[in-house]
Amino acid sequence: MPSKIPLLIRTRPSLIRLLKSLGINSTRFHSTSSVDQTEISHFANLASTWWDSHGSSRLLHLMNPIRLSFIQRCLLKGSPIPASSSARTSPEKLDPTAQVQDADSPQKLRFLDIGCGGGILAEALARLPSTESVVAIDPSKEVLSVALEHARQDPMLTVGEKLRYINATIEQLPKELEGRQSQFDVVTLMEVIEHVPRPSSFLTVTMQHVKPGGWLVLSTIARTWTSYFTTKLVAEDILGIVPRGTHDWNKYINADELREFFEGKEGWEEVVVMGCVYVPGLGWREVRGGEKVGNYFFGVRRGLGEGSDDK
């Protein structure tokens, strides 16, 4: 059976055709950026309605509780900060970290939210009492300006650097941090990886920002005929609940492809996967085995051992 890894190192077919028409060998084509300008322009056009809970980002607003719940599930499997032996929590609680840590511990978690958009998840993470800080980055100036404006409405978010927005790609982040600590307890990629042209190189760079013992948590969509029907035909073309052109089915990634990718990386251990589906009138709900059909969450933990340091 052919390896599934090449999908993660894909070059978009349209780009390949263009390079061939110009007489350029696409296998030699290289870019240091994970940004697709077409994608950036698409989301920049939606910036003004990002915080309208009934607008173009409605499904993202509805997804936030289950995002936090999945982060909690990952941290319960293994916290970057040693947990109290008596710590207990329930899946219904939306603070994904508060009860994982010893109540007397002064240590709190640092988050990196990549492709933060207008800040729906970043703000929620910053408000958690167990959060030390959130660094949220996005390559779109238009979208990030909306995030900054919205954050100013909450004084708690503007005190110190509880929430810091940076207009940058993941490749530019070390320079933007200006020598500050560049590894985080939790790195999130929510609805991001299906929008980047070279997911393999993108993930490789992203992994470097996860501290030993920390988690890389993402959400994306499986590449199946069912997902084409629901996310493209129904959501975009028929119902219009997602702006047309938001998704490219060819860029979807299956959970087993991600699992195989991380199995090939030394020092990456536990994997947590959770399928989910949007139910009109009820919001997003977990569905066992849903990762084989459509939307899903994927979390992978970086080991504490010597081999966990990716160079």
Side-chain angles (χ1 to χ4, degrees), residues 49-304:
T49 61
W50 210 280
W51 279 96
D52 179 357
S53 59
H54 298 287
S56 61
S57 297
R58 178 172 178 267
L59 294 186
L60 298 183
H61 286 272
L62 293 173
M63 185 179 274
N64 230 29
I66 198 171
R67 285 170 163 177
L68 295 173
S69 179
F70 182 74
I71 293 172
Q72 178 189 55
R73 182 175 300 188
C74 292
L75 290 170
L76 287 173
K77 293 278 288 186
S79 176
I81 297 175
S84 165
S85 59
S86 61
R88 295 290 184 272
T89 189
S90 63
E92 290 77 17
K93 293 185 179 296
L94 295 184
D95 183 338
T97 58
Q99 297 189 28
V100 180
Q101 305 167 38
D102 190 318
D104 298 324
S105 173
Q107 293 180 294
K108 295 187 176 183
L109 300 184
R110 299 175 64 248
F111 290 86
L112 171 62
D113 186 19
I114 301 172
C116 65
I120 297 172
L121 177 64
E123 284 198 13
L125 291 173
R127 292 192 178 96
L128 298 176
S130 49
T131 296
E132 175 185 324
S133 63
V134 177
V135 173
I137 69 172
D138 199 280
S140 170
K141 292 182 180 179
E142 292 84 358
V143 172
L144 215 57
S145 65
V146 170
L148 287 165
E149 182 180 352
H150 193 271
R152 293 190 188 101
Q153 299 175 26
D154 186 345
M156 186 278 289
L157 298 177
T158 59
V159 174
E161 290 194 345
K162 186 69 180 279
L163 173 58
R164 182 186 179 192
Y165 285 113
I166 302 176
N167 178 210
T169 64
I170 187 61
E171 295 86 1
Q172 298 165 337
L173 183 60
K175 180 179 179 181
E176 295 294 334
L177 290 176
E178 300 172 343
R180 302 184 188 186
Q181 187 175 355
S182 61
Q183 290 188 324
F184 299 81
D185 299 295
V186 180
V187 175
T188 59
L189 295 169
M190 299 300 184
E191 294 75 58
V192 170
I193 195 168
E194 69 270 23
H195 297 289
V196 300
R198 286 166 292 280
S200 177
S201 58
F202 174 69
L203 283 174
T204 300
V205 175
T206 298
M207 291 160 63
Q208 298 170 14
H209 293 282
V210 182
K211 66 179 288 188
W215 285 87
L216 173 60
V217 180
L218 63 89
S219 61
T220 188
I221 310 171
R223 193 181 61 265
T224 65
W225 289 118
T226 301
S227 68
Y228 181 86
F229 178 78
T230 57
T231 66
K232 291 294 295 179
L233 186 61
V234 176
E236 292 190 20
D237 298 334
I238 297 177
L239 297 182
I241 58 176
V242 175
R244 183 170 293 184
T246 295
H247 297 115
D248 180 347
W249 182 83
N250 293 294
K251 297 169 78 173
Y252 291 179
I253 297 175
N254 295 330
D256 58 351
E257 292 167 341
L258 284 172
R259 191 186 294 271
E260 187 176 350
F261 174 82
F262 283 101
E263 285 176 351
K265 302 295 183 181
E266 182 181 4
W268 290 82
E269 302 175 342
E270 297 174 83
V271 170
V272 182
V273 182
M274 184 183 82
C276 61
V277 64
Y278 172 68
V279 181
L282 297 176
W284 290 91
R285 293 292 185 268
E286 177 181 354
V287 175
R288 187 179 298 273
E291 67 276 8
K292 299 177 182 178
V293 179
N295 291 79
Y296 66 93
F297 289 89
F298 185 99
V300 58
R301 191 184 187 203
R302 185 174 189 177
L304 290 165

Side-chain angles (χ1 to χ4, degrees), residues 10-24 26 29 36-39 196-198 248 250-251:
R10 64 180 170 241
T11 299
R12 296 189 65 184
S14 58
L15 179 58
I16 293 176
R17 288 194 295 270
L18 174 61
L19 294 175
K20 285 183 177 179
S21 70
L22 296 174
I24 300 173
S26 62
F29 181 78
D36 182 331
Q37 289 300 329
T38 302
E39 298 275 5
V196 300
R198 286 166 292 280
D248 180 347
N250 293 294
K251 297 169 78 173

